[in-house]
Amino acid sequence: MLTNVEHIGIAVRDISASNALFSKLLNVTPYKSETVDSENVTTSFFKINQTKIELLEATSPESPIAKFLEKKGEGIHHIAFEVDDIKAEMERLKKEGFTLLNEAPKRGADNKLVCFLHPKDTNGVLVELCQEIKE
Ligand code: CO
């Protein structure tokens, strides 16, 4: 089951400049900054009540974020929904005809298991499913 919007991901060219910008905008500083080597991104997370914003900067030209910036420029990159059982949701969405960008849940930023859906099936919106890793 999808339970809520967990965060909105925004692609940025310069994460330190954008951290300063979003700190002013939201009036909070990032609670976490993390590099995800498997995705070639550096991320930072802001939180206001239950609302989270993730900033993403590419760490290599091979990064999906570098490709996104090249094509579309800075802006909203994905919407992440919290799920209670990521494997069950992946199975369900696959049956519904959505294209999963990874066949097994993978470790994402902010202590989550994640799976992305191809935007061609979702009106151009990259959708992330995420489930908190409890260990
Ligand atoms: Co995300």
Side-chain angles (χ1 to χ4, degrees):
M1 191 171 56
L2 279 71
T3 54
N4 55 282
V5 172
E6 213 283 332
H7 63 270
I8 293 172
I10 298 174
V12 303
R13 293 192 194 282
D14 177 347
I15 202 159
S16 51
S18 296
N19 279 340
L21 176 70
F22 276 80
S23 294
K24 274 191 224 164
L25 175 69
L26 303 173
N27 204 22
V28 290
T29 53
Y31 70 88
K32 184 182 272 191
S33 188
E34 193 181 341
T35 296
V36 183
D37 289 327
S38 60
E39 297 289 310
N40 296 308
V41 294
T42 297
T43 65
S44 58
F45 284 87
F46 293 81
K47 188 172 187 198
I48 316 167
N49 294 319
Q50 295 310 305
T51 300
K52 289 188 195 168
I53 302 289
E54 174 185 26
L55 303 182
L56 303 111
E57 178 193 64
T59 56
S60 112
E62 305 311 308
S63 168
I65 294 301
K67 288 171 187 157
F68 179 90
L69 288 169
E70 209 172 283
K71 256 199 244 169
K72 299 193 172 173
E74 291 183 302
I76 293 180
H77 175 258
H78 64 270
I79 297 180
F81 293 96
E82 178 102 61
V83 295
D84 55 359
D85 181 343
I86 193 163
K87 283 186 183 161
E89 277 312 303
M90 287 169 68
E91 189 101 331
R92 183 183 72 80
L93 292 166
K94 203 173 167 178
K95 275 194 198 131
E96 292 286 3
F98 294 95
T99 307
L100 308 180
L101 291 180
N102 45 296
E103 284 298 316
K106 59 181 179 179
R107 216 185 170 103
D110 203 25
N111 196 40
K112 305 280 188 196
L113 285 175
V114 303
C115 176
F116 287 92
L117 306 184
H118 198 293
K120 75 179 162 74
D121 303 323
T122 48
N123 288 137
V125 177
L126 179 62
V127 171
E128 174 185 345
L129 308 175
C130 63
Q131 181 180 7
E132 187 154 11
I133 298 168
K134 292 178 183 131
E135 46 188 12

